[in-house]
Amino acid sequence: MKYVLVTGGVVSGLGKGVTASSIGVLLKACGLRVTAIKIDPYLNTDAGTLAPFEHGEVFVLDDGGEVNLDLGNYERFLDIKLTRDNNITTGKIYQFVINKERKGDYLGKTVQVVPHITNAIQEWIERVAKIPVDGNEGPADVCIIELGGTIGATIFSGHNDSGILDAGDIESMPFIEALGQFSYRVGPGNFCLVHVSLVPVLDAVGEQKTKPTQHSVRSLRGLGLMPNILACRSTKPLDENIKEKLSQFCHIPVANIITLNDVTNIWHIPLLLREQKAHEAFIKLLKLQGIAKEPMLEEWTIIARIYDISHDPVRIAMVGKYTGLSDSYISVLKALSHASIACHKKLVVDWVPSSDLEDSTKAEAPDLYRAAWRRLRGADGILVPGGFGDRGVEGKILAVKYARENNVPFLGICLGMQISVIEFARSVMNLEDANSTEFDPDTTNPCVVFMPEGCKTHLGGMMRLGSRRTYFEVADSKAAKLYGNVSFVDERHRHRYEVNPSMITEFEKAGLAFVGKDETKRRMEIVELHTHPYFIGVQFHPEFKSRPGKPSALFSGLVGAACGQLELLLQNPSHCGTLTRRLTTSNGFSPTQSHQNGNSKDLQQAMASHPLNPTRTGMGIRRSPLRGCHTGTSAPMAMECMSDE
């Protein structure tokens, strides 16, 4: 087993997650099997109880693991299925060690951070690295390890305006020590350290500054970790003299100093690494000569290129509670992006804080109220994602009502589905106090209720989590057609409330169709309004299984309906992925398995003849430092999409 450790320095938010994922893509394109581990030094056992404003969305895995959003990056980029153990936290490690101590496994010895905690970390990494994650038997060839946190960050204090450099968060120290020991134990040729750092450009002089990176590398060395490759974030490619300076002061060969400059979209990052021959550095450092092949990334190039040349916009209003931080909905954004690329549309997300749609905002902040409704009414499609708590719920209900009454394409996810049921009960069935018991425990018309197997005393890990099977009850429903007319789909869940089973008959008599149910046929999974062009709500989270080139069926339906391609999609569900079909042999993917269900389909496409294929056109990799991720109201630099902190 070979190990690649990715650390970050100077500041957080540089994009370690996307960098680690892109390294994995590059190595996978070299014919290697790749797995990934994310280390989060916080004391939480997992991400399940963290608020979205803390670390972004909680990503859910097939096994029900609630993990850091970076594991979503790994799964999307590498097309793998990770486990909860692929996300290591301080809480997990200490819990593991304390449980062993309680059982007497340490034979009366004093349990200490060194060696017991550090040994537990190393044992965990080695064990998890051997778990197959790509559908094949046996362990992977390379394990990418991302260490969360920042090493060598600048801290300013009232006593020192010039700033000082710290060695990282206190809780990171056991992991840093363990990884230093681990690198020594596995030996040269089996371990490679990539340090992602910042090379800022001062506007006043336009000069690239290396001092922050020099200090960060020095801090890393002082902790016993020696970087082999330096990945430098900057607004533009590093000048050769800057690389030579970094090489001299950081003791890293110039060939191993890589520029991660601003690009138009994150799918250029693996191409950027290949262009700078990063794969050759990895092959040499990990002694993979004769095993790894030259990376072929033509299909990846096509996806990046389609994103760049698509100019016809499709506007999707995202009506949510956490719109102040886009990372709160990062998987939803990626799923929308995958679908829009497949439909050759430029995605524009208009963020609509749900509370701004409510009458209380109209009275208190009329400008916000008018702006929110203007964005909602100007959208081609409306999406209400998942969430918890009652803040902004009435605004979401108003958004669903607008979509239903005005035939605007609508997709509701998890809470979004429950909201659509509540709105239908109020507006169509005239049940004025219809609500969820989550928001009104005393409602006389509880459309949404707490699941009987749920737990009200503990929050962590107590929801209905992970991959669950949904059976289609109506074969000619839009959802069934979009999934390829299969009998069932396996999707990931994260909820503790459900549509009230005792009210299903009333809903269906009123015209609301529950076209997908669980194996008991008592739990509602998919709801549709047949009289509407596209009105679908799902209890599960389809965004978690969307991939570049393999967009989620329901997100494809939303974007297709929003841009006039729905009928074509319903007739031929594979249409929306024709040009961005599975990244086949060059990325090591199997071309014969449908992504979201158990039915086998031949998805291999004749990509070579397509006019966008770079091998036909001689198209180069465009690296212009354009700004903006096309997410509506704000336009941060494109590499903002790489942010993982």
Side-chain angles (χ1 to χ4, degrees), residues 312-334:
D312 189 16
V314 57
R315 306 191 76 93
I316 303 296
M318 183 91 77
V319 184
K321 179 179 176 181
Y322 313 109
T323 54
L325 179 67
S326 62
D327 273 0
S328 299
Y329 303 110
I330 188 69
S331 289
V332 176
L333 286 173
K334 297 306 178 187

Side-chain angles (χ1 to χ4, degrees), residues 27 29 47 73 123 161 175 178 183 224-225 227 271 285 298 344 425 428 486 505 552 570 603 608 636:
L27 295 176
N73 279 326
E123 291 165 9
D161 291 336
F175 292 101
S183 65
L225 290 172
L271 308 177
L285 288 165
E298 278 79 6
H344 286 217
V428 179
V486 296
T505 302
S552 161
L570 294 175
L603 298 178

Side-chain angles (χ1 to χ4, degrees), residues 62-83:
D62 268 5
D63 66 359
E66 298 173 284
V67 297
N68 184 276
L69 61 83
D70 279 316
L71 275 78
N73 279 326
Y74 306 155
E75 286 205 345
R76 283 187 290 270
F77 271 64
L78 301 174
D79 196 23
I80 54 179
K81 291 183 179 180
L82 299 171
T83 71

